[in-house]
């Protein structure tokens, strides 16, 4: 039971931390691209603005990487955006692997508890016979409790893992769309509406 309890504490801690960290408004603010475009149009984009942009959010890091390499052409800008995005995605996926591992191993820990409980039952039968119902019931009870506890940890862990994985995927698509708008606005003849939300 102790490993299952530790897993449940880890699931709660990781879920709270990821929910706080993966806030869409903090990672990809909707107004950021329009603000950057305003800086570009007003010739206000300098080193200080790029630093401010980079520190503002994860989307800001991606856009700042592209802007700092925009004068080298479209492909170099896209490559630098991709490199920055890879780092941002890695940071957003932090602890999700642990959550998935807990979701997969918690039922196995419950099953291990079940096996140990049944071993106790059969040992008691071997030593005392089938006449002592209390000893048999204790072993069977331990077996069932650990199975139930393992499932009670694994089910929420799997749900949180899927939820946060989906949120990361959604945020990645949003950041990709915003970065493409910026690249197209700087290196294309076609008109791009950067104010679109």
């Amino acid at each position: 039971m102790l490993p299952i309890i530790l897993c449940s504490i880890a699931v709660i801690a990781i879920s709270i931390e990821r929910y706080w960290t993966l806030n869409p408004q903090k990672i990809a603010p909707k107004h950021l691209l329009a603000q950057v475009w305003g800086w570009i149009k007003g010739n206000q984009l300098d080193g200080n603005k790029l630093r401010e942009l980079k520190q503002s959010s994860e989307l800001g890091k991606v856009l700042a990487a592209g802007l700092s390499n925009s004068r080298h052409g479209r492909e170099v800008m896209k490559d630098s955006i991709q490199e920055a995005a890879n780092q941002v995605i890695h940071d957003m996926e932090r602890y999700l692997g642990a959550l998935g591992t807990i979701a997969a191993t918690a039922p196995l820990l419950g099953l291990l508890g079940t096996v140990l409980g049944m071993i106790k039952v059969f040992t008691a039968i071997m030593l005392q016979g089938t006449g002592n119902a209390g000893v048999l019931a204790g072993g069977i009870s331990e077996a069932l409790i650990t199975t139930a506890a393992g499932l009670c940890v694994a089910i929420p862990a799997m749900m949180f893992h899927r939820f946060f994985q989906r949120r990361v995927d959604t945020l990645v698509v949003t950041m990709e769309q915003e970065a493409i708008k910026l690249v197209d606005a700087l290196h294309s003849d076609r008109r791009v509406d950067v104010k679109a939300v």
Side-chain angles (χ1 to χ4, degrees), residues 67-146:
L67 287 170
S68 63
N69 291 299
S70 62
R71 65 188 174 280
H72 299 297
R74 181 184 184 94
E75 290 307 313
V76 173
M77 185 178 180
K78 285 174 70 174
D79 288 344
S80 61
I81 285 173
Q82 185 62 48
E83 288 172 16
N86 287 341
Q87 180 61 46
V88 166
I89 292 167
H90 177 72
D91 291 343
M92 288 194 303
E93 289 179 339
R94 183 179 295 140
Y95 306 127
L96 293 187
L99 205 56
T101 301
I102 291 171
T105 56
L108 297 176
L109 291 171
L111 182 61
L112 178 62
T114 301
V115 170
L116 294 176
M118 295 311 290
I119 289 171
K120 278 187 183 178
V121 169
F122 287 117
T123 303
I125 290 173
M126 194 172 69
L127 295 176
Q128 300 173 8
T130 56
N132 192 346
V135 173
L136 298 177
I140 293 171
S141 172
E142 179 183 324
L144 296 176
I145 288 172
T146 55

Side-chain angles (χ1 to χ4, degrees), residues 3 7 13 16 42 71 83 102 109 151 153 155 160 167 195:
C7 285
I16 291 170
R71 65 188 174 280
E83 288 172 16
I102 291 171
L109 291 171
L151 291 173
V153 171
I155 292 169
F160 284 126
R167 179 170 279 187
K195 292 178 183 166

Side-chain angles (χ1 to χ4, degrees), residues 7-8 46 86 141 148 169 177 184:
C7 285
S8 69
D46 57 9
N86 287 341
S141 172
D169 292 344
Q177 290 171 343
D184 286 345

Side-chain angles (χ1 to χ4, degrees), residues 12-89:
I12 292 168
I14 291 170
S15 298
I16 291 170
E17 188 275 339
R18 287 289 89 188
Y19 187 80
W20 176 262
T21 304
L22 295 177
N23 181 350
Q25 292 302 322
K26 283 173 33 180
I27 291 190
K30 294 183 178 183
H31 67 279
L32 191 61
L33 185 60
Q35 181 183 15
V36 168
W37 190 245
W39 290 344
I40 293 169
K41 287 291 197 186
N43 285 330
Q44 300 171 339
L45 193 63
D46 57 9
N48 290 333
K49 292 285 189 189
L50 274 177
R51 240 185 327 277
E52 177 186 331
L53 178 63
K54 192 173 186 178
Q55 294 169 356
S56 67
S57 65
E58 273 67 21
L59 176 58
K61 289 177 188 174
V62 172
L63 296 180
L67 287 170
S68 63
N69 291 299
S70 62
R71 65 188 174 280
H72 299 297
R74 181 184 184 94
E75 290 307 313
V76 173
M77 185 178 180
K78 285 174 70 174
D79 288 344
S80 61
I81 285 173
Q82 185 62 48
E83 288 172 16
N86 287 341
Q87 180 61 46
V88 166
I89 292 167

